[in-house]
Amino acid sequence: MARRVTTQLLLLLVGVAAVWATRSRTELLNVCMDAKHHKEKPSPEDELHKQCSPWKKNSCCSTNTSQEAHKDISYLYRFNWNHCGQMTPACKRHFIQDTCLYECSPNLGPWIQEVNQSWRKERILDVPLCKEDCQQWWEDCRTSYTCKSNWHQGWDWTSGYNRCPAGAACLPFHFYFPTPAALCSEIWTHSYQASNYSRGSGRCIQMWFDPAQGNPNEEVARFYAMAMSAGALSRGVEPLLLSLALMLQLGLLG
Ligand SMILES: *[C@@H]1O[C@H](CO)[C@@H](O)[C@H](O)[C@H]1NC(C)=O
Ligand SMILES: *[C@@H]1O[C@H](CO)[C@@H](O)[C@H](O)[C@H]1NC(C)=O
Ligand SMILES: *[C@@H]1O[C@H](CO)[C@@H](O)[C@H](O)[C@H]1NC(C)=O
C-alpha cells in the first residue's frame, strides 16, 4: 500500500516538474524585454536598416528603431558617441551593432532580469558575448577616446545629451577598458560578459552574424534556457524529494 502511494506521488511529482520546466523554458525563448523601445513580441520586419538587418526574420525592434540605431544622439537615448571627439567609424560600428543586438534580438530571454528603472522594467544581465566579438570591439576602439568606464551612469545630461562630467578626463579607450572583457562587462553595467567560448560554438551570443546561415543565437538561447530550467528544477524538486523521504521514514505514508 505504502509503496503504491509512494510511486503515485513520485509520478505526480515528476509530471508536475516536467510541465513546469517546459513552461519556464519556453518563457525564456523568443521573447522581447519590457524596455523603452522593444516591441511586445518578436515578429518579422522586412525593412530593418543596415546593421540591424540580420534580425529581419524575427525581431524585437521596429524599422524606426533600426534606423535610429545608426544615428548619433538619436531619438532612442540621446546618446552621444562622440563625447571625447569623433569616435572612429571602425569603433562606432560595434556600438551600432551592440544597439541592434540589444533592441532587435529575440534570443536574450535567458538573461532578462526585472529592474526598477524609470525608463525600463527589464534589462539584460551577463549575456555571454563570444570572445572574438569582444576582442574585435576592443581592438577597433583602440584609437578612440572616452572619459568613463560605465556608460550607463554619471554623465552630464544638462545639454540634452551626455557629456563628460567635470573631472572625467578624455583618454584612450584602453585606459578605461584595459581588456576586451573589461569593455564588454563594464560599459553597460554587466549587460554583457566576455564569454570564453568562440563564435560558432553554440555557447555564446554573437553580436555579428550572417543571416544567410540562420540566427546562431537561437540555439544558444535554447541551450542556456535548458540549463537554467534544469537548475531551477533540481533546486525545486530536491526539497520535495527530501520531505517525501522523511515522510516515508516516519511512516506517515504507511
Ligand atoms: C522614429 O520615431 C520617432 C518618434 O515617433 C521620430 O521622432 C523619428 O523621427 C523617427 N525616425 C525615423 C528615422 O523615422
Ligand atoms: C522602485 O523604486 C521606487 C522609488 O525608489 C520605489 O518607490 C518602489 O517601491 C520601487 N519598486 C520596487 C518594485 O522595488
Ligand atoms: C574565462 O576563463 C578565465 C581564465 O580561465 C576565467 O578567469 C574567467 O572567469 C572565465 N570567464 C567566464 C565568463 O567564465
Side-chain angles (χ1 to χ4, degrees):
M1 179 63 191
R3 170 160 301 162
R4 202 159 82 221
V5 173
T6 312
T7 310
Q8 280 169 351
L9 268 174
L10 269 175
L11 283 175
L12 183 69
L13 195 64
V14 168
V16 167
V19 168
W20 184 76
T22 308
R23 202 178 56 209
S24 60
R25 190 158 65 235
T26 53
E27 277 167 3
L28 299 177
L29 297 176
N30 198 35
V31 290
C32 299
M33 75 187 97
D34 185 351
K36 197 172 179 194
H37 299 290
H38 289 72
K39 290 159 46 178
E40 202 177 316
K41 283 182 184 164
S43 60
E45 291 286 344
D46 292 339
E47 305 291 325
L48 288 190
H49 199 57
K50 294 186 185 170
Q51 283 183 234
C52 296
S53 64
W55 286 274
K56 268 182 186 182
K57 277 197 181 147
N58 196 29
S59 175
C60 288
C61 65
S62 63
T63 303
N64 175 301
T65 299
S66 74
Q67 288 169 331
E68 294 289 334
H70 291 73
K71 295 184 189 165
D72 291 330
I73 315 187
S74 79
Y75 122 93
L76 297 178
Y77 304 103
R78 309 285 306 158
F79 201 90
N80 175 24
W81 306 117
N82 307 318
H83 50 264
C84 283
Q86 287 293 315
M87 181 183 271
T88 64
C91 177
K92 195 173 289 177
R93 72 188 183 104
H94 292 275
F95 285 94
I96 294 170
Q97 200 66 19
D98 158 40
T99 307
C100 290
L101 176 69
Y102 174 80
E103 299 291 345
C104 307
S105 177
N107 311 120
L108 302 177
W111 302 278
I112 292 178
Q113 304 273 326
E114 284 183 29
V115 280
N116 190 6
Q117 292 177 332
S118 58
W119 54 287
R120 58 179 182 181
K121 293 209 174 89
E122 291 179 336
R123 64 164 298 183
I124 43 172
L125 187 68
D126 291 334
V127 172
L129 272 195
C130 295
K131 65 175 175 193
E132 296 86 350
D133 286 12
C134 282
Q135 180 79 29
Q136 199 65 50
W137 188 355
W138 184 76
E139 279 173 13
D140 288 344
C141 291
R142 187 177 278 273
T143 53
S144 292
Y145 287 73
T146 185
C147 56
K148 287 171 59 40
S149 57
N150 183 322
W151 287 20
H152 265 151
Q153 287 167 8
W155 297 102
D156 170 2
W157 285 96
T158 51
S159 54
Y161 55 86
N162 55 306
R163 287 190 304 187
C164 293
C170 285
L171 293 166
F173 249 64
H174 290 186
F175 176 85
Y176 289 100
F177 305 112
T179 61
L183 171 63
C184 278
S185 60
E186 302 304 318
I187 195 160
W188 302 125
T189 336
H190 301 278
S191 292
Y192 302 125
Q193 62 176 321
S195 171
N196 285 328
Y197 287 107
S198 289
R199 293 169 57 80
S201 65
R203 298 288 180 269
C204 59
I205 292 289
Q206 290 182 209
M207 198 158 86
W208 300 86
F209 61 88
D210 174 2
Q213 324 289 319
N215 178 345
N217 297 328
E218 287 174 8
E219 179 199 341
V220 180
R222 272 198 300 274
F223 172 79
Y224 284 97
M226 188 79 84
M228 285 173 192
S229 58
L233 184 63
S234 63
R235 281 193 302 279
V237 168
E238 258 166 37
L240 284 175
L241 285 178
L242 277 177
S243 37
L244 195 64
L246 193 65
M247 279 157 73
L248 277 174
Q249 209 153 25
L250 294 176
L252 291 182
L253 297 173

